[in-house]
Structures are given as C-alpha cells and as structure tokens.
Amino acid sequence: GAVVSQHPSRVICKSGTSVKIECRSLDFQATTMFWYRQFPKQSLMLMATSNEGSKATYEQGVEKDKFLINHASLTLSTLTVTSAHPEDSSFYICSARGVKANYGYTFGSGTRLTVV
Amino acid sequence: QKEVEQDPGPLSVPEGAIVSLNCTYSNSAFQYFMWYRQYSRKGPELLMYTYSSGNKEDGRFTAQVDKSSKYISLFIRDSQPSDSATYLCAISPNDYKLSFGAGTTVTVRA
C-alpha cells in the first residue's frame, strides 16, 4: 500500500531558528501534498497545498513567508518553519495524493515541533 | 457554522460493544466521505471511503452516508481495546481538499 514517510518525528529547537520537515512518498508518485497543523485535542487544520513543480497554495491566515513549502519532486515535499517561535509549537502532518485518483489520502506519521 | 461538525466525546465503551460515531455537514456539494483513525501522536490512517449514500462495510467497520440529511456515521462492531483511538470524519466536494471533523476520542475498556 501507499506509504508516506515524514521526518523528523520530533524536534526541539530554539526560538528564532528554522526547522525543516520532510515528507516522502515511498512507493508512489505524489502529485499533490498537503500540510496540516494539529493542536492538542483538535482536528487537522490545512495549512497549504503543494503540487510538484508549482508554488504552494496557502490557506487563509497562514503566513507563506513563515511556512515555506517546497515540492521539488514527485516524491518529496518539505515544510520549513522559519524564525520559529513558541506559538509555532504544534503537531505538523503531511499527506500525499498519487497520480492516479486512488481514493483517500496517505498521511505521514507527523512531526512534533517544540520551540523553546 | 463549521463545515463539518463532530462530537469530540470522549466516548468510552466496554470491549465487544458497538461504537457509533457520526458527523454532520453543511454543504450539499460534499460528495466524498472518509473516516480516519488516529492514534496518539501519529498521522491519520484511512479506514473507510465512500462517495454515495448508503452503507459500506469492511470487516467490523460500517460507514453510512445520508446525503439528504447531510449525516454520516461509522459503526465499529465487536470493539476491541486496540480500537481505542481518535476517529476523524473527512469530507470533500471534489476528492481533493478535505474538511475534517474535530475527531471523537474512543476508549474501549477491556
């Protein structure tokens, strides 16, 4: 079945630094990747959608200069949280959709970001 | 009004009981309906997917969709402690962008 690998699973960084999160589709080509943010006991909030080779489309209220998304290949998308602050601490999850219209989406295992 | 409403629970049931979960939605344009299971600190895992009204069964899981009432349900029969997780409904108008419910936390007691 489709597998999406997300790394790191957990990261702690100092305030003001940048953190990069990787999302890889291991056995299929992901034409579209979605990045979500999830607060404790809350649902997934879509941050942005990225298509391979194109600029990401950000949801309203999400700062594109703070959350840089790159989708340079059909198997890799990255989310970089720039100049991180404690309020950026959250659980970030990617999901990927393949070339064929296979139903549903495959999610990564998530990254727990803590900014201290 | 949120696009998708889901009671966050928590819901606690004894082992072997039927777990009943549901979501309501507001936009009749929604055509694709999914249920995901999420264990603590993990990404969601797709359980059920459907795009039509009616029932869909997969093992112990049954998904129901009533488009006229804008209401979807997930039933888990013969629940096990390993079913303890958060269950999220997800709905889409075009099988592309998903709107998630808040998730219902379920605990199955041994």
Side-chain angles (χ1 to χ4, degrees), chain A residues 90-109:
Chain A
S90 189
F91 193 56
Y92 293 88
I93 310 175
C94 67
S95 74
R97 180 177 173 82
V99 174
K100 294 182 179 179
N102 55 317
Y103 45 83
Y105 301 76
T106 304
F107 283 82
S109 54

Side-chain angles (χ1 to χ4, degrees), chain B residues 53-69:
Chain B
S53 283
N55 293 359
K56 181 176 181 179
E57 193 172 312
D58 184 1
R60 296 185 296 114
F61 299 91
T62 299
Q64 281 186 353
V65 174
D66 183 347
K67 288 186 179 180
S68 63
S69 302

